[in-house]
Amino acid sequence: MDKDIKILSIESSCDETSAAVVVNGREVLSNIIASQIDTHTKFGGVVPEVASRKHIEVISAVVEEALEKANLTFSDMDGIAVTYGPGLVGALLVGVQYAKSLAYALGKPLIGVNHIEGHISSNFIQYKDLEPPFVCLVVSGGHTFIVYMKDYGNFEVMGQTRDDAAGEAYDKIARAIGLGYPGGPKIDKLSREGNPDAIKFPRAKFHEESLDFSFSGLKSAVLNYLNSMEMKNEPINNADVAASFQKSVVDFLVDNAMKACKIKAVDKIAIAGGVASNTCLRDSMIKAGEKKGIKVLFPEPILCTDNAAMIGSAAYFEYINGRTAPLSLNAVPNLKLGER
Ligand code: KG4
Ligand code: ZN
């Protein structure tokens, strides 16, 4: 049997500092996540400069804990992987510099990973037998993509948002109805007490064949609704607003995802990213999939939000295909999916 490949991976693209040890891209020995949510909650969202400083404070301890938990040392590692984009430039730089220093000092290969490819790869950890091709819906705070994954490391973007990301829309509406940051989980919970058909919010219309999304019109429609109710001095049922908003988002995501599966004639769709934890999205996707004979896959919540294990998984497939990075690797805040 071939030797196991052990990768130490680092993720610091936004507000989580994370390090993991992953074997052969599928088996997670450790996945340490230091979240900065409590710090940013005070400001109602992520403050980039604060995020960078927090990453610097904890990165060494997080990496050490990942190795300790895996019961391994630096010298056991076959490579050092790091997210180098997309994300906040200052936050990315902390992880990239740290990983480059480690790779140089240890004389180990460096592997640069695209954060979105990491999210997609979280499904390889959850489903040990999952292999491409499949369609993946990536829904996070910064991104909304429908991707056809032809092969490992080979992606075709079929649709994407033209403005706000799905998670961003959740966060903005949560703020408008006073739920605070991060809004996604709070809207998810409150919606269970509301009627999703109480208010009809519009959906952006594109050419019939387009698989793109737009959520900024929906956001304006919700804000207009809240304003007009206030002007009329009428009571606002926040649970109904949350449930109706969520239905508009989820229906849009599910419809386009199902269209993508039909176009590519695949029988499995994976969901990834922070919003993939959403219970309404999971339920609606499963229901739609059952009708069309499509299996719906999603990682457990800890693998949906930002974490280094998903980066270690994506890195493995880069590594075995000989795609390592030079020590001149830099942070690329606007890195495109599939770009190398
Ligand atoms: O993937 P992620 O951790 O970070 C980015 O790469 O952006 O995603 C964070 C996003 C936030 O917008 C958060 O509100 C959203 O995921 N989110 C959810 C849920 N849990 C997290 N949105 C809807 N329902 C949830 N249960
Ligand atoms: Zn993410």
Side-chain angles (χ1 to χ4, degrees), residues 135 156 158 208-211 256-266:
V135 165
E156 177 190 329
M158 299 179 72
E208 206 179 312
E209 278 153 34
S210 171
L211 296 182
N256 280 8
M258 289 297 143
K259 272 200 242 169
C261 292
K262 191 169 174 207
I263 292 168
K264 294 296 178 189
V266 295

Side-chain angles (χ1 to χ4, degrees), residues 123-195:
N123 283 285
F124 293 131
I125 298 171
Q126 189 72 43
Y127 301 95
K128 308 291 180 211
D129 301 328
L130 175 63
E131 289 192 17
F134 58 88
V135 165
C136 186
L137 172 71
V138 189
V139 268
S140 74
H143 309 277
T144 306
F145 284 108
I146 295 184
V147 176
Y148 176 53
M149 191 172 187
K150 288 183 211 163
D151 201 348
Y152 296 104
N154 187 348
F155 307 90
E156 177 190 329
V157 175
M158 299 179 72
Q160 58 189 302
T161 185
R162 296 194 184 180
D163 40 57
D164 292 353
E168 191 180 352
Y170 267 92
D171 293 336
K172 285 178 178 168
I173 297 309
R175 193 177 310 154
I177 57 175
L179 296 179
Y181 175 85
K186 292 179 176 159
I187 291 203
D188 193 355
K189 193 163 167 235
L190 182 62
S191 294
R192 285 176 218 141
E193 294 158 29
N195 172 7

Side-chain angles (χ1 to χ4, degrees), residues 52-311:
S52 315
R53 286 166 191 268
K54 284 271 160 199
H55 287 308
I56 293 172
E57 277 171 32
V58 302
I59 193 161
S60 289
V62 168
V63 168
E64 276 164 29
E65 198 181 332
L67 285 171
E68 235 168 71
K69 175 113 193 276
N71 213 4
L72 294 169
T73 64
F74 282 124
S75 59
D76 296 316
M77 298 299 116
D78 293 284
I80 310 294
V82 66
T83 305
Y84 72 107
L88 302 169
V89 67
L92 288 165
L93 275 170
V94 177
V96 169
Q97 294 302 340
Y98 200 90
K100 286 196 320 190
S101 313
L102 275 182
Y104 177 68
L106 299 167
K108 308 267 182 192
L110 177 71
I111 307 137
V113 176
N114 181 312
H115 181 78
I116 309 295
E117 296 183 18
H119 273 302
I120 297 170
S121 276
S122 59
N123 283 285
F124 293 131
I125 298 171
Q126 189 72 43
Y127 301 95
K128 308 291 180 211
D129 301 328
L130 175 63
E131 289 192 17
F134 58 88
V135 165
C136 186
L137 172 71
V138 189
V139 268
S140 74
H143 309 277
T144 306
F145 284 108
I146 295 184
V147 176
Y148 176 53
M149 191 172 187
K150 288 183 211 163
D151 201 348
Y152 296 104
N154 187 348
F155 307 90
E156 177 190 329
V157 175
M158 299 179 72
Q160 58 189 302
T161 185
R162 296 194 184 180
D163 40 57
D164 292 353
E168 191 180 352
Y170 267 92
D171 293 336
K172 285 178 178 168
I173 297 309
R175 193 177 310 154
I177 57 175
L179 296 179
Y181 175 85
K186 292 179 176 159
I187 291 203
D188 193 355
K189 193 163 167 235
L190 182 62
S191 294
R192 285 176 218 141
E193 294 158 29
N195 172 7
D197 298 313
I199 312 152
K200 187 102 191 81
F201 291 125
R203 180 198 291 194
K205 289 241 178 325
F206 297 125
H207 189 276
E208 206 179 312
E209 278 153 34
S210 171
L211 296 182
D212 280 353
F213 300 100
S214 163
F215 296 111
S216 74
L218 169 62
K219 177 191 68 193
S220 303
V222 177
L223 297 180
N224 287 342
Y225 170 83
L226 294 172
N227 275 340
S228 78
M229 294 298 275
E230 258 170 41
M231 304 263 274
K232 288 188 272 181
N233 250 332
E234 285 183 30
I236 297 168
N237 183 328
N238 279 345
D240 283 351
V241 174
S244 303
F245 157 78
Q246 175 161 273
K247 182 173 192 288
S248 296
V249 174
V250 166
D251 286 352
F252 203 170
L253 294 173
V254 172
D255 288 353
N256 280 8
M258 289 297 143
K259 272 200 242 169
C261 292
K262 191 169 174 207
I263 292 168
K264 294 296 178 189
V266 295
D267 60 0
K268 52 189 185 247
I269 177 156
I271 322 176
V275 185
S277 296
N278 185 268
T279 50
C280 176
L281 175 62
R282 289 179 175 216
D283 294 347
S284 304
M285 199 68 101
I286 290 170
K287 259 189 217 138
E290 270 166 5
K291 278 192 204 143
K292 297 184 187 321
I294 294 166
K295 192 166 179 221
V296 179
L297 312 173
F298 39 78
E300 60 178 309
I302 196 70
L303 293 172
C304 289
T305 41
D306 291 348
N307 68 89
M310 68 185 196
I311 303 304

Side-chain angles (χ1 to χ4, degrees), residues 323-336:
R323 290 194 289 261
T324 56
L327 286 173
S328 56
L329 181 74
N330 206 350
V332 183
N334 298 318
L335 184 66
K336 302 274 175 297

